[in-house]
Short mmCIF file of all heavy atoms in Angstrom, two decimals:
data_model
loop_
_atom_site.label_atom_id
_atom_site.label_comp_id
_atom_site.label_asym_id
_atom_site.label_seq_id
_atom_site.Cartn_x
_atom_site.Cartn_y
_atom_site.Cartn_z
N ALA A 12 6.86 55.25 6.12
CA ALA A 12 6.06 56.46 6.36
C ALA A 12 4.79 56.44 5.52
O ALA A 12 3.70 56.76 6.00
CB ALA A 12 6.89 57.70 6.06
N GLU A 15 2.38 53.97 7.03
CA GLU A 15 1.72 54.50 8.23
C GLU A 15 0.61 55.48 7.84
O GLU A 15 -0.48 55.48 8.39
CB GLU A 15 2.74 55.21 9.13
CG GLU A 15 3.94 54.34 9.43
CD GLU A 15 4.24 54.24 10.91
OE1 GLU A 15 3.35 54.60 11.72
OE2 GLU A 15 5.35 53.81 11.25
N CYS A 18 -2.34 53.63 6.75
CA CYS A 18 -3.10 53.05 7.86
C CYS A 18 -3.94 54.12 8.56
O CYS A 18 -5.09 53.88 8.92
CB CYS A 18 -2.15 52.38 8.86
SG CYS A 18 -1.45 50.83 8.23
N ARG A 19 -3.35 55.29 8.74
CA ARG A 19 -4.12 56.37 9.36
C ARG A 19 -5.37 56.67 8.54
O ARG A 19 -6.48 56.77 9.08
CB ARG A 19 -3.26 57.63 9.48
CG ARG A 19 -2.43 57.70 10.77
CD ARG A 19 -1.80 59.08 10.95
NE ARG A 19 -0.86 59.41 9.88
CZ ARG A 19 0.41 59.01 9.84
NH1 ARG A 19 0.90 58.26 10.82
NH2 ARG A 19 1.20 59.35 8.85
N ARG A 24 -4.65 50.20 12.63
CA ARG A 24 -3.48 50.48 13.47
C ARG A 24 -2.21 49.79 12.99
O ARG A 24 -2.16 48.57 12.87
CB ARG A 24 -3.76 50.05 14.91
CG ARG A 24 -4.74 50.95 15.62
CD ARG A 24 -5.44 50.25 16.76
NE ARG A 24 -4.51 49.77 17.77
CZ ARG A 24 -4.86 48.91 18.74
NH1 ARG A 24 -6.09 48.46 18.82
NH2 ARG A 24 -3.97 48.53 19.62
N PRO A 27 3.51 48.21 16.65
CA PRO A 27 4.95 47.93 16.59
C PRO A 27 5.26 46.60 15.92
O PRO A 27 6.14 46.51 15.06
CB PRO A 27 5.38 47.92 18.06
CG PRO A 27 4.40 48.82 18.74
CD PRO A 27 3.11 48.64 18.00
N VAL A 32 7.36 43.51 11.26
CA VAL A 32 7.27 42.54 10.17
C VAL A 32 7.38 43.24 8.82
O VAL A 32 8.07 42.77 7.91
CB VAL A 32 5.97 41.72 10.27
CG1 VAL A 32 5.79 40.84 9.05
CG2 VAL A 32 5.98 40.87 11.53
N MET A 33 6.76 44.40 8.73
CA MET A 33 6.88 45.19 7.50
C MET A 33 8.35 45.53 7.25
O MET A 33 8.84 45.43 6.11
CB MET A 33 6.06 46.47 7.63
CG MET A 33 5.98 47.29 6.36
SD MET A 33 4.92 46.52 5.10
CE MET A 33 5.50 47.34 3.61
N LEU A 37 10.71 44.64 4.07
CA LEU A 37 11.35 45.71 3.29
C LEU A 37 12.85 45.52 3.17
O LEU A 37 13.46 45.97 2.20
CB LEU A 37 11.06 47.08 3.92
CG LEU A 37 9.65 47.59 3.72
CD1 LEU A 37 9.41 48.83 4.58
CD2 LEU A 37 9.40 47.90 2.25
N THR A 38 13.45 44.89 4.15
CA THR A 38 14.90 44.76 4.13
C THR A 38 15.34 43.47 3.43
O THR A 38 16.54 43.20 3.35
CB THR A 38 15.48 44.82 5.55
OG1 THR A 38 14.81 43.85 6.36
CG2 THR A 38 15.28 46.19 6.15
N GLY A 41 14.30 39.48 -1.52
CA GLY A 41 13.26 38.77 -2.28
C GLY A 41 12.17 38.27 -1.37
O GLY A 41 12.14 38.60 -0.19
N LEU A 49 9.59 34.39 10.48
CA LEU A 49 9.52 34.10 11.91
C LEU A 49 10.93 34.00 12.51
O LEU A 49 11.20 34.55 13.57
CB LEU A 49 8.74 32.81 12.14
CG LEU A 49 8.64 32.33 13.60
CD1 LEU A 49 8.06 33.38 14.51
CD2 LEU A 49 7.84 31.04 13.67
N GLN A 51 13.66 35.34 11.43
CA GLN A 51 14.28 36.67 11.48
C GLN A 51 13.65 37.51 12.59
O GLN A 51 14.35 38.26 13.28
CB GLN A 51 14.10 37.38 10.13
CG GLN A 51 14.83 36.67 9.00
CD GLN A 51 14.31 37.08 7.64
OE1 GLN A 51 13.64 38.09 7.50
NE2 GLN A 51 14.63 36.27 6.64
N LYS A 53 12.41 36.39 15.34
CA LYS A 53 12.93 35.90 16.61
C LYS A 53 14.33 36.44 16.87
O LYS A 53 14.67 36.82 17.99
CB LYS A 53 12.93 34.37 16.63
CG LYS A 53 11.52 33.79 16.67
CD LYS A 53 11.48 32.40 17.25
CE LYS A 53 11.87 31.35 16.24
NZ LYS A 53 11.46 29.99 16.72
N THR A 54 15.14 36.48 15.83
CA THR A 54 16.51 36.97 15.97
C THR A 54 16.52 38.46 16.29
O THR A 54 17.23 38.91 17.19
CB THR A 54 17.30 36.74 14.67
OG1 THR A 54 17.28 35.35 14.39
CG2 THR A 54 18.73 37.23 14.81
N GLN A 55 15.72 39.21 15.54
CA GLN A 55 15.84 40.67 15.63
C GLN A 55 14.95 41.31 16.68
O GLN A 55 15.27 42.40 17.15
CB GLN A 55 15.51 41.31 14.28
CG GLN A 55 16.48 40.90 13.19
CD GLN A 55 16.34 41.79 11.95
OE1 GLN A 55 15.98 42.95 12.05
NE2 GLN A 55 16.64 41.22 10.80
N TYR A 56 13.83 40.66 17.01
CA TYR A 56 12.87 41.37 17.84
C TYR A 56 12.41 40.62 19.09
O TYR A 56 12.27 41.22 20.14
CB TYR A 56 11.64 41.74 17.01
CG TYR A 56 11.94 42.66 15.85
CD1 TYR A 56 11.77 42.23 14.54
CD2 TYR A 56 12.40 43.95 16.07
CE1 TYR A 56 12.04 43.07 13.48
CE2 TYR A 56 12.68 44.80 15.01
CZ TYR A 56 12.50 44.36 13.71
OH TYR A 56 12.77 45.19 12.66
N ASN A 59 11.08 34.47 21.47
CA ASN A 59 10.09 33.41 21.72
C ASN A 59 8.82 33.56 20.89
O ASN A 59 7.80 32.97 21.22
CB ASN A 59 9.74 33.38 23.21
CG ASN A 59 9.14 34.70 23.66
OD1 ASN A 59 9.37 35.74 23.03
ND2 ASN A 59 8.36 34.68 24.72
N GLN A 74 -3.93 42.39 3.72
CA GLN A 74 -5.26 43.01 3.63
C GLN A 74 -5.16 44.48 3.28
O GLN A 74 -5.97 45.01 2.53
CB GLN A 74 -5.99 42.87 4.96
CG GLN A 74 -6.81 41.63 5.08
CD GLN A 74 -7.79 41.72 6.23
OE1 GLN A 74 -7.68 42.62 7.07
NE2 GLN A 74 -8.74 40.81 6.28
N LEU A 77 -0.24 46.35 1.70
CA LEU A 77 1.14 46.76 1.94
C LEU A 77 2.11 45.62 1.65
O LEU A 77 3.31 45.83 1.48
CB LEU A 77 1.30 47.22 3.39
CG LEU A 77 0.38 48.38 3.78
CD1 LEU A 77 0.45 48.64 5.28
CD2 LEU A 77 0.76 49.63 3.00
N ASN A 85 3.97 30.12 -1.66
CA ASN A 85 3.78 30.34 -0.22
C ASN A 85 4.81 31.32 0.34
O ASN A 85 5.44 31.07 1.37
CB ASN A 85 3.87 29.02 0.56
CG ASN A 85 2.80 28.04 0.15
OD1 ASN A 85 1.64 28.41 0.01
ND2 ASN A 85 3.19 26.81 -0.07
N CYS A 90 4.85 45.16 -0.85
CA CYS A 90 4.38 45.74 -2.11
C CYS A 90 5.43 46.72 -2.61
O CYS A 90 6.01 47.49 -1.84
CB CYS A 90 3.05 46.47 -1.89
SG CYS A 90 2.47 47.33 -3.38
N GLU A 115 7.65 42.83 -9.74
CA GLU A 115 6.23 43.19 -9.65
C GLU A 115 5.96 44.27 -10.68
O GLU A 115 6.66 45.28 -10.72
CB GLU A 115 5.94 43.72 -8.24
CG GLU A 115 4.49 44.14 -8.04
CD GLU A 115 4.21 44.59 -6.59
OE1 GLU A 115 5.07 44.36 -5.72
OE2 GLU A 115 3.13 45.18 -6.37
N SER A 124 -9.31 45.79 -17.91
CA SER A 124 -10.73 46.03 -18.20
C SER A 124 -11.32 44.88 -19.00
O SER A 124 -12.49 44.54 -18.82
CB SER A 124 -10.92 47.37 -18.90
OG SER A 124 -9.99 47.55 -19.91
N GLN A 127 -12.05 42.28 -16.38
CA GLN A 127 -13.22 42.68 -15.61
C GLN A 127 -14.49 42.44 -16.39
O GLN A 127 -15.49 41.97 -15.86
CB GLN A 127 -13.12 44.17 -15.23
CG GLN A 127 -12.29 44.44 -13.99
CD GLN A 127 -12.81 43.74 -12.74
OE1 GLN A 127 -13.95 43.29 -12.71
NE2 GLN A 127 -11.98 43.62 -11.72
N HIS A 146 5.49 32.17 -13.79
CA HIS A 146 6.81 31.56 -13.56
C HIS A 146 7.62 31.51 -14.83
O HIS A 146 7.06 31.39 -15.93
CB HIS A 146 6.63 30.14 -13.01
CG HIS A 146 6.21 30.11 -11.57
ND1 HIS A 146 7.09 29.92 -10.55
CD2 HIS A 146 5.00 30.28 -11.00
CE1 HIS A 146 6.44 29.95 -9.39
NE2 HIS A 146 5.16 30.17 -9.63
#
Side-chain angles (χ1 to χ4, degrees):
Chain A
E15 309 232 15
C18 288
R19 272 191 297 277
R24 288 156 60 193
V32 173
M33 186 72 200
L37 286 170
T38 53
L49 177 56
Q51 296 161 17
K53 290 204 280 196
T54 302
Q55 297 193 30
Y56 298 115
N59 61 337
Q74 270 195 347
L77 301 171
N85 299 315
C90 175
E115 180 177 348
S124 45
Q127 277 301 344
H146 285 262

